[in-house]
Amino acid sequence: MRAISGLWRWRHNPLRRGTDLLEAWTALTALLLILVAGPVIGALVGGAAQDVLQESVREQREVRHEVTATVARKLDRSPLDADPETSSGRGLRSRVVADWTAPDGTSHHGTVLAALQNPRPGDHFTLWTDPHGRLVARPLDSATATTHAVLAGFGAALLTAGVVEAGRRLAVWRMVRRRYARWDRAWDRAGPDWGRTGTGS
C-alpha cells in the first residue's frame, strides 16, 4: 500500500524527482512480485515436494513390512531409540532379545527395541523389517509427507518474498547512493562560499 500511495503522491508533484518515481515503481513491483510470485513459487515447490515425498511413501510401503516378533528375554534399558518419530514414547520401549520371521520366510534372532513397558518372554510386539528380515525404520506415512510438503512450499514462498525485498532494498540503496553523489558534485560546483555571493565579503 505504501508503494501505491507513493506513486499517487508523486503523480503531479512539482518537487518530484525522477528517482522518487523510480523508487515508488520499484516498491510497487516488489509488492506485486511478493503477492504473485511468492505464492506461485511456493505452490510449485510444495507440489513438487508432495510428489517426491508421496512416491517415497509408496516405495517405503513396498519394501518395509510390519512383522510380529516374540520376546525371548529382556535386556537393560537402552538410552537410544532407533526410530526418531517415536522418541516421544521412548519411556514405553524396552530393549529385548526377540525372534521374528521375515517376509521371505527366514527366521531371525536379535536385540531390538520393543514397544512394551514390561516385556516378559513370550510376549508379542510388532517391528518393521525389509523383505529379508533386517530391521528398518517405520515407513513415512502420507500425512507426515503432506505436512513436510506444505512446510517446503511455505518456506519457498517466504524465501521468495525475502529475496524480492532484499533486491528492492539493494536497488533503493543504490539509487540513494547515486543521489548523494550527485548532491556532492552539485555542492562542489557551487563552491565553498556560495552563501556569501554578492555580499561584498
Side-chain angles (χ1 to χ4, degrees):
M1 294 307 295
R2 192 171 68 183
I4 295 171
S5 66
L7 281 174
W8 184 259
R9 185 179 70 228
W10 291 118
R11 202 165 51 110
H12 296 298
N13 193 323
L15 298 177
R16 181 191 72 195
R17 297 167 295 204
T19 56
D20 295 326
L21 195 58
L22 187 58
E23 281 182 37
W25 277 110
T26 302
L28 180 62
T29 303
L31 177 64
L32 291 176
L33 282 173
I34 289 171
L35 292 178
V36 175
V40 168
I41 290 174
L44 291 174
V45 169
Q50 174 76 340
D51 292 343
V52 170
L53 288 171
Q54 291 302 333
E55 180 62 28
S56 178
V57 167
R58 284 188 290 277
E59 289 175 0
Q60 288 182 12
R61 283 183 179 161
E62 289 176 7
V63 298
R64 297 182 186 187
H65 305 278
E66 191 173 23
V67 298
T68 301
T70 304
V71 175
R73 63 188 167 90
K74 181 179 178 182
L75 297 174
D76 293 335
R77 180 177 286 267
S78 171
L80 301 176
D81 190 344
D83 189 355
E85 292 190 14
T86 61
S87 60
S88 59
R90 189 174 293 160
L92 301 176
R93 296 176 70 83
S94 303
R95 201 164 156 254
V96 299
V97 174
D99 299 306
W100 66 93
T101 302
D104 64 2
T106 57
S107 296
H108 294 268
H109 179 83
T111 302
V112 296
L113 288 173
L116 300 169
Q117 187 170 9
N118 195 9
R120 289 186 289 273
D123 287 349
H124 298 289
F125 63 97
T126 59
L127 49 82
W128 290 92
T129 70
D130 67 6
H132 305 293
R134 290 185 294 265
L135 296 176
V136 293
R138 182 167 56 94
L140 181 67
D141 63 78
S142 186
T144 303
T146 300
T147 301
H148 287 284
V150 168
L151 290 174
F154 187 68
L158 285 179
L159 182 63
T160 301
V163 168
V164 169
E165 176 61 14
R168 184 197 69 81
R169 288 176 181 257
L170 179 63
V172 169
W173 176 76
R174 289 179 62 100
M175 283 187 271
V176 169
R177 290 289 301 263
R178 282 199 292 267
R179 182 185 304 154
Y180 288 161
R182 283 197 303 271
W183 285 353
D184 287 341
R185 288 193 298 272
W187 280 108
D188 289 342
R189 282 194 304 271
D193 60 347
W194 67 273
R196 297 193 295 273
T197 301
T199 60
S201 57

